[in-house]
Amino acid sequence: QVQLVESGGGLVQAGGSLRLSCAASGSVFSNIVMGWYRQAPEKQRQLVATVTPIGGSTNYADSVKGRFTISRDNAKNTVYLQMNSLKPEDTAVYYCNSRGLGGTYWGQGTQVTVSS
C-alpha cells in the first residue's frame, strides 16, 4: 500500500510558475515509478510526466515539453513537478501516481488554475 499526498496547487496568471510536490509513504520509494497526470473538466485523465526510480529517466507529454520538469528526491520520498510558462489550457486537477510491484496508486489531486 502506498499513500500519496500532493501539495502546491493554486491560482496563477498565464506565464507564471508553480511547483507541485507529492510525498509518498508505505513502500520503498526508490523502487517505484512516479508520475503526474492531470484531468481537466469533462476530459479524460492524461499523462503529464513520469520519472523512473533509478537513473531518473523522464518522459513528458508533448504539450508540456520544455515547460515542465519532473524530478524526485528518493531520500525524501518526494516527487516534484516544476511548471513554468503556464497556459490557461494547463488548468486541471493534477494527480500524483505511483507504479511498482505492489500496484498502482493515486493521490487525492491538487487543483491548478491558470488565468488568462
Side-chain angles (χ1 to χ4, degrees), residues 52-72:
T52 59
I54 304 297
S57 295
T58 57
N59 179 54
Y60 295 93
D62 287 344
S63 58
V64 306
K65 282 181 181 177
R67 300 188 299 123
F68 291 12
T69 303
I70 189 170
S71 62
R72 63 192 293 159

Side-chain angles (χ1 to χ4, degrees), residues 46-100:
Q46 61 177 195
L47 171 72
V48 175
T50 61
V51 59
T52 59
I54 304 297
S57 295
T58 57
N59 179 54
Y60 295 93
D62 287 344
S63 58
V64 306
K65 282 181 181 177
R67 300 188 299 123
F68 291 12
T69 303
I70 189 170
S71 62
R72 63 192 293 159
D73 185 334
N74 288 343
K76 295 182 178 180
N77 288 1
T78 302
V79 62
Y80 305 96
L81 185 68
Q82 177 66 45
M83 304 184 294
N84 299 328
S85 302
L86 283 160
K87 305 175 181 180
E89 50 265 43
D90 294 319
T91 295
V93 177
Y94 284 69
Y95 295 92
C96 182
N97 168 272
S98 72
R99 287 187 290 118

Side-chain angles (χ1 to χ4, degrees), residues 31-49:
N31 287 346
I32 55 179
V33 176
M34 298 299 299
W36 289 95
Y37 290 70
R38 66 186 182 187
Q39 187 167 17
E42 300 182 357
K43 292 189 176 181
Q44 289 190 333
R45 193 172 296 187
Q46 61 177 195
L47 171 72
V48 175

